[in-house]
């Protein structure tokens, strides 16, 4: 579980750093993030190749990519929205830059997925059961976030909530969807980790 949290924190932090302007990048932030994701994917693929039979299976590999990539995108979007403020307006230079960087990060995530993909994908009943568990957890997580958003938008009429523009609300909904994907990946990776720990404990008995 610690490894999962480390990946989430580091990836989320990278996304936030890309949007914060705190670092000076030789290329646009979205390009820098995409290149970093692909570089990490190459390193991870080599690492898993060295592990051979002990490397994660096909579904688990894709979950790690999904976890890291979506955390980067979420961190970038959340930080950008924070810096822009509640009155985000479409078709402005700042928002256009945000859009370019976001879509570049998505492209980088897809390329990272392609880099680390298993050339011979395989899944069994265990993988399908874990996938079902993850989707169920993500479903309830998404419902919870949406209920909170609905209550806030419907009943809070003061402060920054009253200033929210439609594009800001739309991007908040996008964040809710990304959050559900992250919950799915975390729940499934946790299930794999618990299963691996149980198997290791059985071997030492």
């Amino acid at each position: 579980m610690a490894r999962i949290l480390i990946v989430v924190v580091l990836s989320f932090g990278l996304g936030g750093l890309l949007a914060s302007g705190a670092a000076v990048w030789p290329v646009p932030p979205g390009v820098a993030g995409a290149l970093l994701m692909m570089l990490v994917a190459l390193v991870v693929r080599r690492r898993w190749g060295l592990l051979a039979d002990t490397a994660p299976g096909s579904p688990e590999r894709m979950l790690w990519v999904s976890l890291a990539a979506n955390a980067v995108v979420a961190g970038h979007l959340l930080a950008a929205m924070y810096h822009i403020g509640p009155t985000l307006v479409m078709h402005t230079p700042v928002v256009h830059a945000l859009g370019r960087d976001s879509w570049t990060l998505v492209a980088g995530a897809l390329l990272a997925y392609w880099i680390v993909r298993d050339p011979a994908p395989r899944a069994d009943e265990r993988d399908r059961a874990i996938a079902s568990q993850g989707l169920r957890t993500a479903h309830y997580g998404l419902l919870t976030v949406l209920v909170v958003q609905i209550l806030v938008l419907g009943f809070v009429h003061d402060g920054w909530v009253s200033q929210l523009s439609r594009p800001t609300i739309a991007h908040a909904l996008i964040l809710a969807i990304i959050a559900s994907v992250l919950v799915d990946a975390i729940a499934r990776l946790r299930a794999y980790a618990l299963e691996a720990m149980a198997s290791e404990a059985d071997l030492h008995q």
Side-chain angles (χ1 to χ4, degrees):
M1 190 64 184
R3 184 169 54 172
I4 297 172
L5 292 177
I6 289 172
V7 171
V8 171
V9 171
L10 290 179
S11 301
F12 197 85
L14 172 61
L17 181 64
L18 291 170
S20 68
V24 178
W25 305 94
V27 293
V31 175
L35 291 175
L36 283 172
M37 282 193 284
M38 288 185 285
L39 177 61
V40 171
L42 287 169
V43 173
V44 169
R45 185 182 70 174
R46 176 170 175 77
R47 169 65 176 168
W48 285 342
L50 294 174
L51 291 175
D53 293 338
T54 59
S58 301
E60 195 174 352
R61 291 187 185 194
M62 297 305 99
L63 287 171
W64 282 112
V65 176
S66 174
L67 180 69
N70 280 288
V72 170
V73 173
H76 175 266
L77 181 55
L78 184 61
M81 291 176 64
Y82 174 80
H83 288 291
I84 293 173
T87 56
L88 186 152
V89 179
M90 299 296 288
H91 308 302
T92 61
V94 173
V95 175
H96 282 167
L98 166 63
R100 285 194 301 270
D101 286 338
S102 294
W103 284 111
T104 304
L105 289 174
V106 171
L110 292 174
L111 289 172
Y113 179 96
W114 180 81
I115 289 171
V116 301
R117 77 194 189 288
D118 191 338
R122 54 198 181 279
D124 53 24
E125 289 299 326
R126 178 201 62 163
D127 297 312
R128 284 185 279 273
I130 290 176
S132 177
Q133 176 185 340
L135 288 173
R136 184 166 56 251
T137 305
H139 169 74
Y140 289 116
L142 179 59
L143 286 179
T144 301
V145 173
L146 290 178
V147 167
V148 171
Q149 289 182 332
I150 290 169
L151 291 175
V152 170
L153 293 173
F155 296 99
V156 178
H157 304 292
D158 301 319
W160 60 268
V161 175
S162 63
Q163 304 173 29
L164 292 175
S165 64
R166 289 184 180 179
T168 301
I169 295 172
H171 282 79
L173 293 173
I174 293 173
L175 278 174
I177 294 173
I178 298 175
S180 72
V181 176
L182 289 172
V183 169
D184 174 41
I186 291 171
R188 291 164 68 177
L189 286 170
R190 180 176 179 273
Y192 280 115
L194 291 175
E195 187 177 87
M197 290 172 60
S199 298
E200 186 175 351
D202 290 340
L203 290 175
H204 288 85
Q205 286 182 352

